[in-house]
Amino acid sequence: MTTLDTIRSEIGADGRAGSSRRARLARLARRLPPGLALSWLILATVFLWAIAPALFTSYNPVEGVGGAQLKRPDALHLLGTDALGRDLYARIVYGAVHSLTGAFVAVGLGLIVGTTLGVIAGSVGRRLDDAIMRIVDVLLSIPPLLLSLSIIILLGFGTVNAAIAVGLTSVAGFARLARSEVVRVRRSDYVEAAFGSGGTFRAVLWRHVLPNSLTSVIAIAALHFGSAVLQISTLGFLGYGAPPPTPEWGLLIAEGRNYISTAWWLTTAPGFVVVLVVLAANRVSQSFGKVTS
Amino acid sequence: MTSRYLFNRIGQALLVLWAAFTVSFVLLQAMPGDAILIKFQNPDLGLTPQQIAEIRAAYAADSPLWLQYVQTIGNFLSGNFGYSVQAGVPVSASLAAHLPVTLKLAAIGFLTAAILAVAIAFLSSLAPFAWLRSAIQSVPSLFISIPTFWLGIMLIQIFSFRLKLVPVINPGPWQEFILPVATLAVPISAPLAQVLVRNIDAVLTQPFITVARAKGATQGRVLWRHVAKNALLPTLTIAGVLFGELIAGAVVTETVFGLNGIGGLTERAVGTQDVAVLQAIVVLSAAAFVAINLIVDLLYPVLDPRLRTRSGATA
């Protein structure tokens, strides 16, 4: 947030500044295209929603106000109210924490399990490599949503279970990527030199192979974050995530669906928020990709 | 392509399929939750513990796991997917009853998606201005970011309730498919369009395109006569991914629009913990996925002569 603000104020001062300063600012502006800046702004806002929702709204997300049912969006209720008189904007703000923690758990799980499998497969090689990569093939052969549903049947409904279900579908992708990166780095000269100068297997893996393999893994993690938000909202919509009255975004849309002919704002607003967050996450991940390549 | 390669490739596919079956068995059948108890322990049914024990024996719910595993493999191989505990009918009958709706939805949806993707890809390379080109090229990433279920609801809201173009109550046999097909086509067209755009860009840098241009071909003619064939072929490689999108799209779309197909069946099976139904759907989709990838692998050298000569040279 703060860096964005300083950049913006510096750009604002651009007209009065000297030419050398202008050149530097132009470079800065080029480095941060407006779409990317907006994406960071959206993500930062949503993270703040998750951390301190009370700063953004004074309404209660769970308890409704009598007599204020199904109000259209106006100055008092920015995005209108639902059938119980609850402020929709407040519900979306308070819902951020559910969607974001869900996405973090999912990506974290996929990242840790997948990368561990991939690094083991890539660095140990031979039999174990074959075995792990066959398991990955199997995970890839089951359509992701069906795999999530199978895990949900096993674990039961709930925010964390939905997040685990989504996270396990990304294990295969992370494992493949991490393995190919490790194999690529392993063949490079400096890793061979590290082995040649007496480095143990574990030390070389930790000091050279891991740090150099992880950059592209992180870029993909940002991409998976967007799709995890999407998948978690889908599971929430189907009713397998957090139970009502949790204001999880997918559940908000599912509840708003009952008033589709009278209260258009109930389904429209939460959906737009999901789309914006996913677009922003994808844009940010793209910029990571450019840096690494 | 030698017969040995063919044999290896089919063996690999069968191995993956067997492993996928095992994964689904471990996830779904070896688990502690119990669909039989959920349905029959309901006090309204007034069943005695003995009767429940008889039902459990009929479903072979208490035999040792390895025996269940062997029996289930045998049953699946002979086309017997067990009984749906909730509906009380064989799973295969249930699947057969629900399949036509999904097949129709998937076929029209996929066709629409393909047309949409080709339109996006070709329009973007025909676009006269850079800003228009990048605007069209960002459509797929927008499509990927839209939750499918939300898209369906928005389409109902706009076209059925605002514009009143598609009736909600008692739609005709084709009318009821218009909005679901549109909903399903969007998430499928996105990856297809992305691959197409990338392929077209790659083909446009090839020397034979320069030759065609030098002979005076217009951009449109270059695209249709020289690029199209070469850019369409590699999309086959993402057929498996598209199949996964199709399944996920079908579950969500059928739930939103209340269509009674495989997707709706899946959604209800999860809600009622009807494990046999979900397992059959998982295993059959894995089989379809493996088959699609096998066919693409085997078909690709046939369609692209360049690969054929390369394999011929190494063999």
Side-chain angles (χ1 to χ4, degrees):
Chain A
M1 270 298 272
T2 50
T3 53
L4 287 187
D5 287 343
T6 49
I7 286 166
R8 194 163 295 151
S9 62
E10 279 177 357
I11 291 171
D14 188 26
R16 278 164 278 132
S19 64
S20 69
R21 188 162 171 205
R22 187 175 299 170
R24 208 189 59 201
L25 286 174
R27 225 176 20 246
L28 235 181
R30 216 181 306 138
R31 211 183 297 159
L32 197 72
L36 185 58
L38 192 66
S39 302
W40 276 112
L41 192 70
I42 291 172
L43 290 184
T45 312
V46 175
F47 281 119
L48 286 180
W49 282 0
I51 296 165
L55 288 183
F56 291 86
T57 175
S58 55
Y59 288 104
N60 186 318
V62 181
E63 272 170 41
V65 179
Q69 288 92 338
L70 293 177
K71 286 261 190 284
R72 286 174 171 280
D74 56 22
L76 203 60
H77 298 283
L78 281 179
L79 296 175
T81 62
D82 70 1
L84 296 177
R86 297 177 291 199
D87 184 69
L88 183 61
Y89 172 66
R91 283 177 70 70
I92 293 178
V93 168
Y94 278 89
V97 69
H98 300 282
S99 301
L100 292 195
T101 24
F104 268 117
V105 170
V107 174
L109 187 74
L111 184 71
I112 292 169
V113 177
T115 311
T116 310
L117 285 178
V119 168
I120 292 173
S123 42
V124 176
R126 279 176 305 217
R127 283 274 168 82
L128 195 58
D129 184 11
D130 281 345
I132 290 176
M133 292 332 278
R134 284 296 85 76
I135 295 174
V136 165
D137 281 349
V138 172
L139 285 180
L140 285 175
S141 73
I142 301 175
L145 184 69
L146 291 183
L147 188 57
S148 311
L149 294 185
S150 306
I151 295 163
I152 280 197
I153 270 206
L154 177 67
L155 297 178
F157 301 165
T159 314
V160 178
N161 291 347
I164 293 173
V166 169
L168 286 180
T169 61
S170 62
V171 164
F174 277 114
R176 276 200 164 178
L177 182 74
R179 177 181 175 276
S180 74
E181 282 296 300
V182 168
V183 167
R184 181 181 64 83
V185 174
R186 250 173 85 99
R187 278 205 222 101
S188 58
D189 293 341
Y190 62 87
V191 169
E192 282 183 15
F195 275 122
S197 51
T200 62
F201 177 77
R202 193 174 296 177
V204 175
L205 186 71
W206 189 247
R207 288 241 0 208
H208 300 286
V209 177
L210 264 187
N212 286 293
S213 330
L214 278 183
T215 34
S216 55
V217 172
I218 299 293
I220 296 297
L223 190 67
H224 273 289
F225 181 81
S227 86
V229 169
L230 208 57
Q231 283 174 282
I232 284 173
S233 74
T234 302
L235 293 179
F237 169 79
L238 291 172
Y240 308 144
T246 317
E248 194 271 331
W249 292 341
L251 195 59
L252 284 184
I253 298 174
E255 288 171 353
R257 202 178 145 207
N258 301 331
Y259 304 93
I260 185 170
S261 61
T262 50
W264 54 268
W265 56 92
L266 285 180
T267 46
T268 310
F272 266 115
V273 174
V274 174
V275 172
L276 285 180
V277 171
V278 177
L279 273 178
N282 290 354
R283 182 69 188 81
V284 167
S285 126
Q286 217 180 26
S287 73
F288 278 140
K290 266 185 198 138
V291 171
T292 52
S293 70
Chain B
M1 204 191 320
T2 58
S3 58
R4 193 187 149 164
Y5 169 76
L6 200 71
F7 186 75
N8 268 345
R9 191 62 193 75
I10 292 174
Q12 235 175 44
L14 288 178
L15 204 65
V16 168
L17 188 55
W18 165 76
F21 170 83
T22 309
V23 168
S24 78
F25 180 86
V26 169
L27 281 178
L28 295 172
Q29 252 180 301
M31 62 160 196
D34 200 324
I36 299 171
L37 286 188
I38 287 176
K39 182 174 180 186
F40 293 106
Q41 241 177 8
N42 188 347
D44 294 344
L45 290 174
L47 292 175
T48 62
Q50 286 82 14
Q51 282 169 315
I52 291 179
E54 274 168 29
I55 293 170
R56 290 184 70 80
Y59 281 104
D62 293 322
S63 52
L65 265 184
W66 65 268
L67 194 64
Q68 283 187 38
Y69 179 73
V70 173
Q71 277 172 346
T72 318
I73 283 197
N75 287 343
F76 267 61
L77 286 178
S78 59
N80 170 12
F81 301 121
Y83 279 83
S84 158
V85 173
Q86 283 298 322
V89 295
V91 174
S92 48
S94 184
L95 287 178
H98 289 85
L99 195 59
V101 172
T102 304
L103 276 186
K104 193 171 160 192
L105 177 68
I108 315 174
F110 188 78
L111 200 67
T112 316
I115 294 170
L116 198 62
V118 169
I120 291 172
F122 279 76
L123 279 181
S124 85
S125 58
L126 282 174
F129 315 107
W131 62 266
L132 188 62
R133 184 182 157 80
S134 66
I136 298 176
Q137 283 190 358
S138 60
V139 169
S141 39
L142 175 68
F143 278 4
I144 283 181
S145 310
I146 299 177
T148 312
F149 62 94
W150 182 68
L151 179 69
I153 293 174
M154 293 311 286
L155 289 179
I156 295 177
Q157 201 158 293
I158 295 168
F159 289 100
S160 296
F161 286 107
R162 296 271 137 185
L163 306 175
K164 305 205 187 305
L165 287 178
V166 184
V168 192
I169 298 152
N170 292 329
W174 289 99
Q175 269 178 335
E176 74 172 343
F177 274 94
I178 296 174
L179 294 183
V181 161
T183 309
L184 188 60
V186 164
I188 298 172
S189 70
L192 203 54
Q194 279 174 329
V195 171
L196 269 178
V197 167
R198 217 176 307 141
N199 291 344
I200 289 178
D201 284 349
V203 175
L204 278 176
T205 62
Q206 299 273 321
F208 67 86
I209 298 297
T210 320
V211 173
R213 285 235 172 88
K215 285 169 143 182
T218 58
Q219 176 77 355
R221 186 180 159 83
V222 166
L223 277 180
W224 276 122
R225 291 274 304 159
H226 302 282
V227 177
K229 214 166 40 172
N230 291 298
L232 282 174
L233 197 53
T235 54
L236 273 181
T237 50
I238 61 159
V241 175
L242 291 181
F243 176 72
E245 292 279 347
L246 201 63
I247 297 273
V251 172
V252 172
T253 310
E254 289 179 13
T255 308
V256 170
F257 290 93
L259 292 176
N260 202 8
I262 299 285
L265 186 69
T266 312
E267 190 254 342
R268 285 193 300 277
V270 176
T272 54
Q273 296 222 325
D274 205 337
V275 172
V277 174
L278 190 64
Q279 194 184 5
I281 292 172
V282 169
V283 172
L284 287 179
S285 339
F289 178 90
V290 168
I292 287 172
N293 277 346
L294 183 65
I295 291 169
V296 168
D297 271 10
L298 298 182
L299 205 62
Y300 214 91
V302 179
L303 294 177
D304 192 341
R306 283 171 298 182
L307 292 176
R308 214 158 40 208
T309 50
R310 197 175 302 156
S311 76
T314 49

